[in-house]
Amino acid sequence: MVNENPNYITTDLNQFMHDDCSKKMTVNNIDCVQYKKYYNSPNIIRIIESKHWNEGVPPTQFELLKELAEIFKNNKTGTKCECYIIRGDLPYDKVEITNLITAKVIICKDRERFIKFCNFEIGFEQL
């Protein structure tokens, strides 16, 4: 379901901050944070912002995601960090995945490969 209201805020806390707190900051709701713990290779943290095909990315949200991608790019912890914008609609037979760290964009037209990506079975490069 797509919400047509561009000012729609998904959580009470975000709405409170939007209404009652400083306007000199960005308050954002990120759709998905995944974490995969491995015992013999680096762990992975993945941030995903999901958009429908007909939905844009607000400039402040894009700026925040790019900032996170830059922090992830310079990460020295040993944990692999990824940051994506994924554009598509259920049942996700076709998705556009933007890697904000590398600025590469892939169109995946294979739902099963996309599921493997979401399950950490294949990486962005294998899509």
Side-chain angles (χ1 to χ4, degrees):
M1 181 171 105
V2 177
N3 190 309
E4 301 298 331
N5 180 353
N7 297 316
Y8 174 72
I9 298 177
T10 58
T11 70
D12 290 340
L13 178 61
N14 284 13
Q15 186 68 56
F16 167 78
M17 289 183 175
H18 174 78
D19 294 342
D20 298 319
C21 295
S22 173
K23 303 300 182 230
K24 295 179 181 178
M25 65 177 171
T26 296
V27 175
N28 219 293
N29 184 26
I30 295 177
D31 292 317
C32 179
V33 178
Q34 291 180 288
Y35 176 67
K36 177 72 175 177
K37 184 167 184 69
Y38 291 96
Y39 294 98
N40 51 0
S41 62
N43 299 332
I44 302 175
I45 294 173
R46 182 185 285 168
I47 290 178
I48 299 172
E49 180 59 34
S50 173
K51 297 295 183 190
H52 294 282
W53 280 110
N54 64 345
E55 191 177 10
V57 180
T60 54
Q61 185 178 49
F62 187 74
E63 182 181 350
L64 171 62
L65 291 167
K66 287 295 289 177
E67 187 76 23
L68 288 169
E70 192 61 30
I71 291 167
F72 280 9
K73 184 178 180 179
N74 296 313
N75 167 36
K76 306 270 191 264
T77 67
T79 296
K80 184 177 179 183
C81 298
E82 303 172 344
C83 190
Y84 301 104
I85 296 174
I86 296 178
R87 188 176 304 282
D89 297 310
L90 276 173
Y92 296 105
D93 291 328
K94 177 182 174 187
V95 293
E96 176 188 87
I97 303 170
T98 302
N99 182 329
L100 293 171
I101 294 173
T102 64
K104 292 183 181 176
V105 178
I106 291 177
I107 302 287
C108 179
K109 296 179 182 177
D110 182 337
R111 184 174 186 272
E112 294 306 314
R113 289 189 74 72
F114 182 58
I115 289 171
K116 287 182 178 185
F117 171 76
C118 292
N119 286 334
F120 293 98
E121 295 170 13
I122 62 173
F124 177 80
E125 300 78 18
Q126 287 78 46
L127 285 167

